[in-house]
Amino acid sequence: MEGMVNMKHVFVTGGTGLVGGHVVEELLKAHPDANLVVLARSRDPKSYFFERGLDQRVILYTGDIRDEKLVRDIVFNEEIDTIFHLAAQPLVTVALANPRQTWETNLIGTLNILEAARGNTRIRSVVVASSDKAYGEAKFLPYTEDHPLHGLHPYDASKSCEDLMAQTYAKCYGVPVVVSRFGNIFGPGDLNFNRTIPGAMRALATGVPMEIRSSGHLVRDYVFVKDVARAYLLLEKAAETHAGHAFNVTSGINLSLIQMLNEMERVLAVSVPRIILNNASHEIPEQRLSDDKFRRELGWRPNYSLDEAIRETWSWYRTYFTV
C-alpha cells in the first residue's frame, strides 16, 4: 500500500479489541512483511482477534498499557517504527462509575506511548485514537477539527486530554503523531453488548429485548469498523506531513438510536425487540462530524454503505450466537 513502504516494525496497542482486531487484519493484508507487535490486556478467545487466528501471525505481549517499562521495552526492543495507539477504557458507563481507572488507562497509557516515541529516531509515525466525545457539548454542528475540546464527563474529558497531549508532543517534541476522532464504531467482533449495535444483534439472535438506557433519540455518527481500519492506515501515511493534526472520520451515517434500529429492521426485514428505560445520564444529545478535512487533504472515502455494513455485521453475529 502506498505510504507504507518504510513500515517494518509496527506496534498496535489494544490490538485484541474491536478496532484493534480489524486494524491488525488490515495491516497483515496490506503489508505482510512487517514485524507486527500487539499489546493486549487479556486473551478473550471469542474476540475477533483470536477468532480470526490473528494471534498466530503477530508477536503478542500480554500486559497493561499503564506499565511504562513494558511499553518502553516493547518499543525499543522490537525496534518499532510505527505505532497505532488504540488501547483505552472506552465505555462511557464504566468511566462514570470508575473515573480513576479511565483516566489512568487513557491518559497514562497515551503518555507512555508518547514518551517512548519522544526522541526516538526510529519512530516515523504514531496514530492516537481520540473520539468525537473529546469535543463535548456542541458549540456548533457538525463538529470540525477546530471545534474546542471540551469534554466534561469522565470518558469525554479523558479523550479531550489525550487528544491535547498528542498535539503537545507533536508541537514541543516533534513527535510525528496524528489524532483520529471517530463517532460510534460498529461491526463484526464487538462483544460489548451494552452498545447499540451489539445489543440489537443479540436481541435479534436470542429474542430477548435489548434495554435502551436513553430515550432512543440521542443522535450519533455511526462508522463501520472495516472503514475505520482503512482510515487508520491512511492516517498513518499522514503522520510525517501532518504531525499534530487531528482528523474527523465518519461514514456520513448520522442517526438517532431509534432511527438506526429502524434501518436495521428495514435492511434485515426483522423486528428488533426493545425496552426503552430512559434512565441514562451525562449523555450528549447530538453529535455530528464533518470529515471534509480528511477527504480534502488525505483523499478519504468510506467503502461501505449502511446496508452493506448492517448485513455484514448481522452475518457475523448470527454465526457467533449459533456456534
Side-chain angles (χ1 to χ4, degrees), residues 212 215-218 222 255-263 265 274 276:
I212 300 173
S215 66
H217 297 294
L218 302 178
Y222 292 88
L255 301 168
S256 71
L257 188 154
I258 295 298
Q259 288 173 326
M260 174 56 90
L261 295 180
N262 291 342
E263 289 298 302
E265 292 178 333
R274 68 194 79 163
I276 298 179

Side-chain angles (χ1 to χ4, degrees), residues 5-26:
V5 175
N6 297 321
M7 184 186 290
K8 297 186 183 301
H9 301 277
V10 186
F11 182 26
V12 181
T13 72
T16 62
L18 169 64
V19 176
H22 285 272
V23 168
V24 168
E25 189 170 52
E26 189 70 17

Side-chain angles (χ1 to χ4, degrees), residues 16-19 44 46-48 88-95 155 184-203 210-211 213 283 313 316-317 320-321:
T16 62
L18 169 64
V19 176
D44 183 350
K46 293 184 178 181
S47 71
Y48 187 87
Q89 192 301 99
L91 306 178
V92 173
T93 52
V94 172
Y155 173 77
N184 285 17
I185 300 168
F186 72 98
D190 190 350
L191 300 181
N192 175 22
F193 293 103
N194 290 321
R195 290 188 179 126
T196 298
I197 305 300
M201 294 296 173
R202 181 172 63 179
M210 67 179 294
E211 294 185 344
R213 294 182 299 107
E283 292 277 7
T313 301
W316 186 87
Y317 279 103
Y320 174 83
F321 280 106

Side-chain angles (χ1 to χ4, degrees), residues 11 13 39 61 63-78 80 83 85 108-117:
F11 182 26
T13 72
L39 175 62
Y61 285 79
D64 197 311
I65 191 65
R66 294 173 292 182
D67 186 336
E68 179 184 3
K69 182 178 184 302
L70 174 62
V71 170
R72 186 173 180 83
D73 285 349
I74 291 173
V75 170
F76 282 86
N77 293 343
E78 298 291 348
I80 298 300
I83 302 174
H85 177 45
I108 299 302
T110 301
L111 179 62
N112 288 341
I113 289 293
L114 294 170
E115 275 292 285

Side-chain angles (χ1 to χ4, degrees), residues 53-66:
L54 302 178
D55 58 312
Q56 303 300 313
R57 303 174 63 189
V58 304
I59 300 170
L60 182 61
Y61 285 79
T62 301
D64 197 311
I65 191 65
R66 294 173 292 182

